[in-house]
Amino acid sequence: MTYSSRDHGRNGSPVIHGFPHLDTVRSAITALYRRLSYDGVHGYAPSLVPADAAFSDNDDLHLGAQRVARAVVQHLRLPDARVIVGFRTMEHAASVELAAGPEYFIELNDRFRTHRRDIGAALSHEVMHVLLHRLGLEFPGTRDNEILTDTATTYLGAGWLLLDAFREDAVSSQKLGYLTPEEFGYVLAKRAFAFDEDPSPWFTSPQAYTAYTKGRAQALQDTRQPPLTAAGWAGRHRYAKDRRHAQEHPGTGTAPGPATPYAFENGPQGLRVSFACPTCNQRIRVPVRGRVRARCGLCRTVLDCTT
């Protein structure tokens, strides 16, 4: 099985911005926690450090690529995976051949011979394909599976390199991976919140830092949605109106969506509200009875709610 990663923004193609894949990204984070567990996910702390991915023009091309590949393999906890890196002319940025192991073959686009600063970014995505293959974790369809790979690479501590490979000016642009720059920033911010980590000093690309701040703002919104106590006045007002409607019209409920990220459900024990955990996006259900403290059973996040 061969996976090839995209190389956006080159040859005149525009870089897509915003959050068009957010639902799939959130599902990918949930899938990581379900497959690895809380302890497994937090085994990927701290992030891959910049020094381990550094690649200067003075380094031998093949030895340097092997060194960075080993660093990524070790960070992603694949001690028995030997990655062999080669270079050739190809349409995509990189590709990996997945077999039974223990050797995996990664091919990088020939342009990385002279764009060595981005070799770590390309390798991190391809090595993540190896990890997901071993975990038996995949999404149906190439697009969603590549989004899973980008999300997992970033959430497990190596994907900040993919965001740092994003550069854009008036005449040219470059981006690796399937996520938009802002979506990479969103996942990176989610990791930063969960791991108490600040990735901002690692960026060498000003455009990457800007994308991170936009992604972080989106991630913060997840922590300020009702019924979370941190929700703003407008959200609490809307929630109170929807709650009153659910109490006065049992059985009608409120379907979750972008405008109403919660749903009311009537049951034998009374009215309950369900909403997505702001850390892992697992659905949480709590009784509607005022101030409630809930603990997500998947990612162990403790949430203060006003229901």
Side-chain angles (χ1 to χ4, degrees):
M1 184 183 302
T2 302
Y3 285 98
S4 299
S5 59
R6 284 187 181 177
D7 188 6
H8 291 273
R10 298 184 62 80
N11 301 320
S13 62
V15 172
I16 298 172
H17 288 276
F19 302 93
H21 313 114
L22 206 52
D23 287 344
T24 307
V25 167
R26 288 168 171 161
S27 296
I29 294 175
T30 307
L32 279 177
Y33 275 98
R34 286 176 177 167
R35 180 63 183 85
L36 293 173
S37 79
Y38 169 88
D39 291 330
V41 168
H42 281 258
Y44 293 91
S47 287
L48 182 71
V49 299
D52 287 343
F55 202 133
S56 75
D57 291 338
N58 296 323
D59 290 336
D60 178 272
L61 177 66
H62 291 89
L63 292 178
Q66 293 296 144
R67 172 183 57 79
V68 176
R70 282 196 302 272
V72 176
V73 164
Q74 289 170 1
H75 172 75
L76 294 179
R77 304 165 68 89
L78 286 164
D80 57 343
R82 180 168 178 253
V83 176
I84 299 171
V85 183
F87 297 82
R88 70 175 177 89
T89 302
M90 58 195 301
E91 177 184 358
H92 299 284
S95 66
V96 59
E97 182 72 29
L98 297 180
E103 292 183 341
Y104 295 89
F105 297 89
I106 293 177
E107 291 184 313
L108 301 182
N109 192 300
D110 258 342
R111 74 176 183 84
F112 287 109
R113 292 177 182 272
T114 55
H115 292 76
R116 299 184 179 189
R117 61 181 286 187
D118 299 326
I119 284 178
L123 288 174
S124 68
H125 177 97
E126 302 307 322
V127 174
M128 178 53 68
H129 272 303
V130 175
L131 175 59
L132 295 178
H133 176 67
R134 290 195 169 196
L135 292 173
L137 180 58
E138 64 178 331
F139 280 0
T142 299
R143 169 189 170 275
D144 285 1
N145 201 57
E146 291 289 355
I147 291 172
L148 167 65
T149 305
D150 278 343
T151 302
T153 307
T154 306
Y155 202 83
L156 298 185
W160 66 268
L161 292 165
L162 287 162
L163 178 54
D164 198 41
F166 167 56
R167 289 181 287 280
E168 191 171 43
D169 57 35
V171 297
S172 64
S173 59
Q174 170 189 285
K175 185 186 76 69
L176 298 177
Y178 279 62
L179 298 185
T180 69
E182 293 78 16
E183 288 168 341
F184 274 120
Y186 172 84
V187 181
L188 195 54
K190 287 283 197 179
R191 175 184 168 86
F193 297 159
F195 287 72
D196 192 23
E197 195 175 62
D198 180 12
S200 57
W202 306 333
F203 295 124
T204 62
S205 164
Q207 294 80 23
Y209 178 78
T210 300
Y212 172 66
T213 60
K214 292 179 179 179
R216 187 177 186 276
Q218 180 68 41
L220 278 172
Q221 286 187 26
D222 293 353
T223 70
R224 296 169 180 168
Q225 295 284 355
L228 299 174
T229 302
W233 180 87
R236 293 197 304 270
H237 180 73
R238 184 183 71 241
Y239 177 84
K241 180 180 178 181
D242 291 339
R243 178 182 58 198
R244 184 166 58 251
H245 181 272
Q247 291 170 332
E248 294 174 353
H249 303 84
T252 57
T254 302
T260 54
Y262 48 81
F264 292 103
E265 306 166 1
N266 282 281
Q269 298 178 340
L271 190 65
R272 299 168 69 86
V273 62
S274 67
F275 60 97
C277 171
T279 298
C280 69
N281 211 51
Q282 171 90 334
R283 299 299 295 181
I284 296 174
R285 289 173 174 79
V286 295
V288 174
R289 63 182 185 200
R291 197 68 177 262
V292 174
R293 174 165 282 192
R295 183 175 183 269
C296 178
L298 187 59
C299 69
R300 303 183 186 177
T301 302
V302 176
L303 304 166
D304 288 318
C305 309
T306 302
T307 61

